[in-house]
Amino acid sequence: MTEQPPPAPPAHALAVVMRDYLSYGESGMADLKEAVHSVRQKPVIGAFCRHLRQILAGTAPVPTDVINKEFQRRADEETALGDGTPVEPVHYDDQQAYEALADLWEYLDLTPEGEPEGAVTSAKTAVRNRRSQLLWVDGDPVEALKTWMSWRSLALFGAGTVLCTGGWAAYQRIDATLLRSLLLLLTLAGFVMASVGGGALWLRRVRYVNPDAFLPSERKTKEERR
């Protein structure tokens, strides 16, 4: 039986989160929130959330030194990457550090226990967003159907289905070579028509449920965020 790695110390978890996420500003905050609400949360993220709850509850000291060390490290890094002009680091006192962590808590949507708000709901939402979501949307289903339905695509799908089914049925019953070739061609044409019509309806339905579906991702790597 393999040994499990020891849990990350709270101060170490905070330092890792500041280095890998918070130092990158708004984009890092957004990535941290996604990591916190991820279905498979990293152990260091879980340790950070628990430590944050302890700090705000007053059962753990405010890690002002850890926060200021990260500010100093980031300033030194920006100075080295710049034109040589020293970058003044941000410096927090205990009150400012506590208020910043409290704002972070609210931004991350954490429960009083330090868990992601509605973890089960978030997991279900993530699963739904990865599906075509063909079955249901909130609200009036009739109005939703009128909104995303395309009657041209539906007619193309219906005509293609009838043509494909009828052509194939006739193809199996007729022995004449010329007619069989023509019916096979009609069957293939019907199949293409039904595929185009059905695919168009599916795409309209997915875009209705999620307008951002199939758009390119704008996620940035750590190097790009620098």
Side-chain angles (χ1 to χ4, degrees):
M1 181 176 180
T2 58
E3 295 183 358
Q4 295 294 330
H12 171 69
L14 176 61
V16 169
V17 167
M18 290 199 64
R19 182 195 66 210
D20 292 349
Y21 295 95
L22 300 180
S23 288
Y24 297 101
E26 292 184 3
S27 62
M29 292 273 287
D31 287 347
L32 175 60
K33 187 171 184 178
E34 182 177 340
V36 167
H37 290 269
S38 174
V39 176
R40 295 183 179 180
Q41 190 183 80
K42 297 179 181 178
V44 69
I45 298 296
F48 162 75
C49 293
R50 292 189 295 271
H51 187 209
L52 187 57
R53 177 181 63 82
Q54 294 169 358
I55 294 169
L56 298 180
T59 58
V62 180
T64 309
D65 56 339
V66 176
I67 295 174
N68 287 332
K69 283 181 180 178
E70 175 56 29
F71 286 151
Q72 182 65 55
R73 186 199 68 81
R74 187 63 178 172
D76 294 342
E77 186 178 273
E78 291 179 356
T79 300
L81 295 175
D83 56 4
T85 303
V87 177
E88 290 295 328
V90 179
H91 184 82
Y92 279 174
D93 58 26
D94 289 346
Q95 182 62 30
Q96 291 171 326
Y98 183 88
E99 292 175 356
L101 293 176
D103 291 340
L104 179 61
W105 177 278
E106 293 183 2
Y107 173 80
L108 296 177
D109 293 332
L110 296 173
T111 65
E113 292 74 27
E115 298 294 332
E117 183 72 38
V120 175
T121 302
S122 298
K124 291 181 179 179
T125 301
V127 172
R128 285 198 301 268
N129 289 338
R130 287 172 173 80
R131 299 186 308 176
S132 61
Q133 299 184 352
L134 294 175
L135 300 178
W136 185 259
V137 290
D138 293 335
D140 188 346
V142 176
E143 290 299 323
L145 180 64
K146 291 179 180 179
T147 301
W148 66 263
M149 176 60 70
S150 170
W151 297 110
R152 290 183 179 180
S153 298
L154 181 60
L156 184 62
F157 174 76
T161 301
V162 172
L163 183 60
C164 181
T165 304
W168 181 251
Y171 173 81
Q172 291 181 316
R173 285 181 168 82
I174 295 177
D175 295 330
T177 304
L178 181 61
L179 286 178
R180 283 174 64 88
S181 299
L182 180 60
L183 289 172
L184 183 59
L185 182 61
L186 291 176
T187 301
L188 293 176
F191 177 79
V192 172
M193 290 170 58
S195 298
V196 172
L201 288 174
W202 178 78
L203 290 174
R204 288 175 63 90
R205 180 66 175 84
V206 172
R207 291 302 301 274
Y208 173 78
V209 174
N210 179 16
D212 296 328
F214 310 115
L215 294 180
S217 174
E218 296 182 355
R219 286 180 56 81
K220 296 182 179 180
T221 63
K222 291 183 183 178
E223 297 299 326
E224 291 175 334
R225 292 195 307 232
R226 290 176 185 268

